[in-house]
Amino acid sequence: FDHAIPTLLKAKELNQNNTEIIFQIGSLYYKLNDSKYVQYFNQLLDKSISSKESIPQKYYKAFILLLKNNYEHKKYQDTQKIIEMLPDNQKNYEINLKSAKTYYFLGKHEKAIENFEKLSLGNDDKYLLCISYVKVGMTSKAKEVLWNLSSINDYLEKAKSDILLK
């Protein structure tokens, strides 16, 4: 790895738009647990989106790693961009849940609901779904979710102190 990165960086200088070189550099940095992988996977994403060619299957692994990094760093706009370009066959439960939460945090509650409703949710996520229901005026659905959570004291108290859910 130590010898490959300088060689690949020199190759990138000669061919700035070569997505395979960018992918390999990012992959090596990721394997070395170096956050520089993010910058290269971002470049790969931008070049792949702007290209008219089909995206190689192996690049989707890089985009999923980038999505997870963006989500963890609360870069929800960037996370959304990746979510929307990923084909459905690349989305597992974790990605679909991050999608729902990303839309929630971006205030896109209809899209959040659409994504939350496809999943089996934990209580914290059900609470977010409840808030999304209220935000779009679906109060009967919000009441139903809140009723299901009411046996859990923390959620009932939390709802009582929330202006929307009172």
Side-chain angles (χ1 to χ4, degrees), residues 77-119:
Q77 293 287 351
D78 294 336
T79 304
Q80 178 188 350
K81 181 170 75 172
I82 299 169
I83 289 165
E84 292 177 352
M85 63 81 58
L86 277 178
D88 287 340
N89 68 352
Q90 295 294 319
K91 296 177 183 175
N92 58 17
Y93 177 84
E94 179 189 7
I95 299 302
N96 287 324
L97 184 58
K98 283 181 179 7
S99 297
K101 289 180 174 184
T102 294
Y103 289 120
Y104 173 85
F105 293 127
L106 288 172
K108 298 179 178 185
H109 295 285
E110 284 148 353
K111 291 286 283 181
I113 291 167
E114 179 185 320
N115 283 271
F116 276 131
E117 287 181 339
K118 295 177 186 175
L119 303 169

Side-chain angles (χ1 to χ4, degrees), residues 18-28 41 44 58-59 62:
N18 187 312
T19 55
E20 186 60 29
I21 294 171
I22 296 167
F23 172 73
Q24 292 300 328
I25 295 170
S27 296
L28 287 174
F41 286 170
L44 179 66
K58 65 183 175 180
Y59 290 3

Side-chain angles (χ1 to χ4, degrees), residues 27-108:
S27 296
L28 287 174
Y29 279 128
Y30 180 77
K31 286 178 183 176
L32 292 170
N33 203 27
D34 187 325
S35 64
K36 289 180 191 168
Y37 81 90
V38 172
Q39 114 187 35
Y40 288 96
F41 286 170
N42 268 320
Q43 288 177 32
L44 179 66
L45 178 67
D46 292 341
K47 291 185 186 310
S48 296
I49 289 174
S50 64
S51 172
K52 301 292 183 218
E53 298 174 23
S54 64
I55 298 171
Q57 199 69 11
K58 65 183 175 180
Y59 290 3
Y60 289 120
K61 291 178 184 175
F63 301 150
I64 289 168
L65 292 171
L66 187 59
L67 179 148
K68 290 176 182 179
N69 180 272
N70 287 338
Y71 182 85
E72 288 167 12
H73 289 91
K74 300 180 188 290
K75 296 179 179 178
Y76 300 120
Q77 293 287 351
D78 294 336
T79 304
Q80 178 188 350
K81 181 170 75 172
I82 299 169
I83 289 165
E84 292 177 352
M85 63 81 58
L86 277 178
D88 287 340
N89 68 352
Q90 295 294 319
K91 296 177 183 175
N92 58 17
Y93 177 84
E94 179 189 7
I95 299 302
N96 287 324
L97 184 58
K98 283 181 179 7
S99 297
K101 289 180 174 184
T102 294
Y103 289 120
Y104 173 85
F105 293 127
L106 288 172
K108 298 179 178 185

